[in-house]
Amino acid sequence: MIDIKFRIRNIDEKKFEDLRFITMIYDDKGIEVFTDDGDILENYELNQYTGEKDVKGNEIYVGDIFRYKYDADKISTGIIKLGKRKDYISNSSKEIGFYVDWDNCLLRKDLGYWAEITDIQGNVYDNPELLGDDVNV
């Protein structure tokens, strides 16, 4: 069983909030996020913990970035995502879950495989320079 964890990105302040000072309420309005002083955090993004850790022991969240050197001189960038992933052989969406969405190459997408051989290089918020122009966040 994996831990159900999230990190909350405050889009306006461009930082991750300290969860010790955040309250989340789920009701008929959806998810409402409150700061410690009672203010509603309106412009935020939730990133779910995948249940995996990278080779350095860091928890992997949706939005984290892997980089992988293949061939002699090529580097591919992958973003951790949650959803349906496409099988390149059949071009159909077969599996739902956490996966690595690699840019312009046909590397395997299963997160468990990559968590054992590489480490997080950053995330899509703090390290956009790691993403190429053609990467979909």
Side-chain angles (χ1 to χ4, degrees):
M1 181 179 206
I2 67 168
D3 292 330
I4 306 298
K5 296 182 186 180
F6 295 90
R7 63 183 182 192
I8 298 176
R9 178 73 178 183
N10 184 330
I11 302 298
D12 294 332
E13 295 186 21
K14 298 181 180 176
K15 68 175 186 170
F16 287 103
E17 292 291 339
D18 186 335
L19 293 180
R20 294 176 299 166
F21 306 111
I22 294 292
T23 302
M24 291 176 26
I25 298 174
Y26 177 75
D27 58 19
D28 59 345
K29 299 176 191 170
I31 298 174
E32 292 184 300
V33 179
F34 297 89
T35 61
D36 196 32
D37 57 9
D39 292 336
I40 296 176
L41 188 61
E42 294 187 24
N43 196 11
Y44 66 90
E45 188 161 324
L46 289 176
N47 297 150
Q48 187 172 351
Y49 172 53
T50 64
E52 297 280 354
K53 293 183 179 180
D54 69 8
V55 294
K56 293 183 178 177
N58 299 307
E59 293 180 342
I60 302 171
Y61 286 82
V62 170
D64 284 342
I65 298 171
F66 282 161
R67 298 193 82 193
Y68 180 69
K69 184 175 183 177
Y70 64 102
D71 290 336
D73 59 348
K74 297 178 182 174
I75 296 177
S76 188
T77 301
I79 301 171
I80 309 307
K81 293 187 176 181
L82 172 61
K84 288 184 181 182
R85 66 178 182 169
K86 285 202 178 212
D87 179 352
Y88 280 105
I89 295 170
S90 66
N91 200 28
S92 65
S93 298
K94 292 187 174 185
E95 297 184 23
I96 297 174
F98 298 105
Y99 66 97
V100 184
D101 189 17
W102 294 102
D103 63 349
N104 43 9
C105 74
L106 300 178
L107 295 173
R108 60 191 290 177
K109 293 187 172 222
D110 47 318
L111 176 60
Y113 173 79
W114 294 105
E116 293 180 4
I117 64 171
T118 191
D119 62 316
I120 298 166
Q121 298 294 304
N123 63 66
V124 297
Y125 310 102
D126 297 330
N127 311 100
E129 71 279 1
L130 296 176
L131 305 173
D133 294 333
D134 58 343
V135 175
N136 291 327
V137 178

